[in-house]
Amino acid sequence: MDVLSAEIVADVREASALPPPAFAEVAVAGRSNVGKSSLVNVLAGRRKLARTSAKPGATRGIHIYRLGLRGGAIVDLVDLPGYGFAQRSKVERRTWGTMIEQFLESRPGLRGAVVIVDVRRGVEDDDLELIEYLRHHDRTPILVATKLDKLAASKRKPAIAAVGRTQGLRAIGFSAETGEGADELWRAVLRVAGVELKTSQPAR
Ligand code: GTP
Ligand code: MG
C-alpha cells in the first residue's frame, strides 16, 4: 500500500477529549504487548509513528493516526491501550477499560476494529469478549494472528487456521517483523472502512 502521508491527529486519555471524527476509523485492539502499535507502524509504512516497547503498557491513551493513501483516500487508524496488563492497579484497569469501552461504543465513524492475538496463544477470553462487544455495537471485527515470524514456516498455516476457528471468523496471519500479511490486512481494513481506492492509477 502506498501511504503518502501519516500524522498523529489525537493523543488523549479520555474518549470525550477526542476531536470529532472526520474520516472512516478503524481501531486496533488486543492484549497488552501483543503488537498493536507495531501493526499500526507496518500499515503506515513508518517505523516510528506509534510508540512500541518490549514492556507492556507502552500505549497509554487513544491515539489516532491519519493515513493518506495514493488516490486521495484517507483512513484514520486508532491505536488503543492493551487489556490484560496485570501490573496496573485495579482502579487504573477499570478506568482504562471504561475509556476503551466508551470509545468503541460511542464513537461515530468507527467502522470496526482489528482484534490482534498472538498466533502462539490464540484467542483468549478477553479477546472473545471484545469480538462479541464489537459485534453487539455494529463494529466489524478483523481478526489478526500476529508474530508469525516466531513460528517455524511449516507451523504457520495450521496455527492461523486454529486462531480463525473462532466465532466464524477467518484470521489473517501477520508479522510486524517481516511485513507478512500486511497487504491482506490493508484490503480488510479498506473494506471495513468502506474506502475504495481509485484503480485508474497506472500500476507500478
Ligand atoms: P501496548 O501498547 O503496551 O498494549 O503494546 P502493543 O500491543 O502496542 O505492542 P507493541 O507494538 O509495543 O509491541 C510489543 C513488543 O512486541 C515489541 O517488543 C515489538 O517489537 C514486539 N512485536 C510486535 N509485533 C511483532 C511481530 O510480529 N513479531 C515479533 N517477533 N515481535 C513483535
Ligand atoms: Mg501499543
Side-chain angles (χ1 to χ4, degrees), residues 6 23 29 59 69 73 78 83 87 96 98 101 105 118 122 128 131 146 154 162 165 174 186 200 202:
F23 299 96
T59 306
L69 311 180
V78 188
Y83 42 80
Q87 272 150 316
W96 284 33
T98 310
E101 276 173 22
E105 202 173 289
D118 188 319
L128 273 182
I131 290 167
T146 193
S154 62
R165 237 171 267 135
F174 182 83
W186 252 125
S200 55

Side-chain angles (χ1 to χ4, degrees), residues 117-123 143-166 169-174 180:
V117 304
D118 188 319
V119 69
R120 298 164 301 173
R121 292 179 70 148
V123 176
L143 185 59
V144 165
T146 193
K147 304 198 182 176
L148 261 193
D149 57 283
K150 299 260 194 189
L151 288 184
S154 62
K155 301 217 164 122
R156 290 178 193 165
K157 256 197 174 165
I160 298 166
V163 172
R165 237 171 267 135
T166 308
L169 285 173
R170 208 176 55 82
I172 297 173
F174 182 83
E180 188 173 346

Side-chain angles (χ1 to χ4, degrees), residues 8-79:
I8 182 158
V9 293
D11 172 357
V12 303
R13 299 296 166 103
E14 273 178 60
S16 60
L18 284 169
F23 299 96
E25 292 174 348
V26 176
V28 183
R31 299 189 79 76
S32 200
N33 212 41
V34 69
K36 297 175 295 298
S37 301
S38 304
L39 177 143
V40 167
N41 286 338
V42 170
L43 288 184
R46 308 287 192 279
R47 291 178 66 82
K48 292 194 171 155
L49 184 65
R51 197 171 93 77
T52 67
S53 159
K55 283 199 220 130
T59 306
R60 299 222 140 211
I62 300 174
H63 301 249
I64 303 185
Y65 298 98
R66 182 155 298 158
L67 307 184
L69 311 180
R70 181 174 293 280
I74 293 176
V75 176
D76 280 354
L77 281 187
V78 188
D79 192 12

Side-chain angles (χ1 to χ4, degrees), residues 4 56 66 86 108 126 134 191-192:
L4 300 186
R66 182 155 298 158
D126 286 350
L134 288 169
R191 204 179 315 123
V192 166

